Amino acid sequence: MVAKKEDTVSFLKTHGLAGTAIRKQVLSHLWGDGVALTQKEIEEKLPPETDRVTLYRTLKLFTEKGIVHKIVLDGETQKYKIAGRFRKSDHAHFYCTQCHKLLCMPQLDVNLSHLPSGFQFSSARLVVEGVCDNCSTKKER
Ligand SMILES: [Zn+2]
Ligand SMILES: [Zn+2]
């Protein structure tokens, strides 16, 4: 699903950002529930003349503004996804190993106050892997 141009412009506006060409392009590729892409995957979808540094800055800005979540899958893979209604990214994410969707799962409550005494929490990167509802129902049929 690709967002309409007008949608991306008004979306950027609600976050106090001007709708530059690259911002609109990046947004439209990330649009859609569960869609998550690495910086490289986004780069491959953009016009070849796109400046890599501009893309990097755009993603950084989107992350700071809470527009996207940067989700660390492993040491090498970081994916970006539209944050939707979840502003913070300190919640768990669910990664479907079949369709590669990445979903926000704030309902998976990881109780960080159960740390042993003397330990302090600074950030959490919890990714739960498995099969999403869509893929699990497909299997049963
Ligand atoms: Zn799936
Ligand atoms: Zn999230």
Side-chain angles (χ1 to χ4, degrees):
M1 185 172 75
V2 174
K4 282 189 267 150
K5 283 240 165 66
E6 311 84 73
D7 292 344
T8 55
V9 172
S10 64
F11 186 87
L12 286 165
K13 226 182 201 171
T14 60
H15 289 89
L17 296 175
T20 63
I22 185 155
R23 287 174 189 168
K24 284 185 276 185
Q25 286 162 356
V26 171
L27 259 192
S28 69
H29 289 301
L30 287 173
W31 211 266
D33 193 30
V35 178
L37 300 166
T38 63
Q39 188 177 327
K40 194 161 180 286
E41 284 166 342
I42 297 169
E43 198 181 311
E44 281 162 4
K45 289 174 189 288
L46 296 175
E49 68 272 14
T50 306
D51 181 42
R52 202 175 274 185
V53 179
T54 311
L55 172 62
Y56 171 80
R57 287 205 194 117
T58 302
L59 290 170
K60 197 163 171 258
L61 179 70
F62 281 3
T63 309
E64 283 164 7
K65 287 271 178 190
I67 295 173
V68 297
H69 286 169
K70 187 162 122 181
I71 301 148
V72 179
L73 278 191
D74 60 44
E76 277 122 62
T77 320
Q78 298 181 350
K79 291 218 172 209
Y80 294 89
K81 88 176 286 296
I82 292 270
R85 59 205 161 93
F86 310 114
R87 278 306 178 85
K88 289 208 220 141
S89 56
D90 57 353
H91 49 255
H93 288 92
F94 189 94
Y95 181 65
C96 177
T97 51
Q98 282 190 19
C99 67
H100 306 291
K101 266 189 182 181
L102 200 52
L103 301 150
C104 292
M105 286 265 160
Q107 62 269 54
L108 284 180
D109 190 15
V110 185
N111 197 333
L112 297 160
S113 59
H114 285 173
L115 283 171
S117 72
F119 288 78
Q120 272 181 10
F121 166 74
S122 61
S123 72
R125 301 185 188 99
L126 181 66
V127 178
V128 181
E129 285 191 8
V131 182
C132 75
D133 53 349
N134 228 331
C135 294
S136 66
T137 48
K138 253 185 241 158
K139 230 182 198 175
E140 279 160 25
R141 268 171 214 157

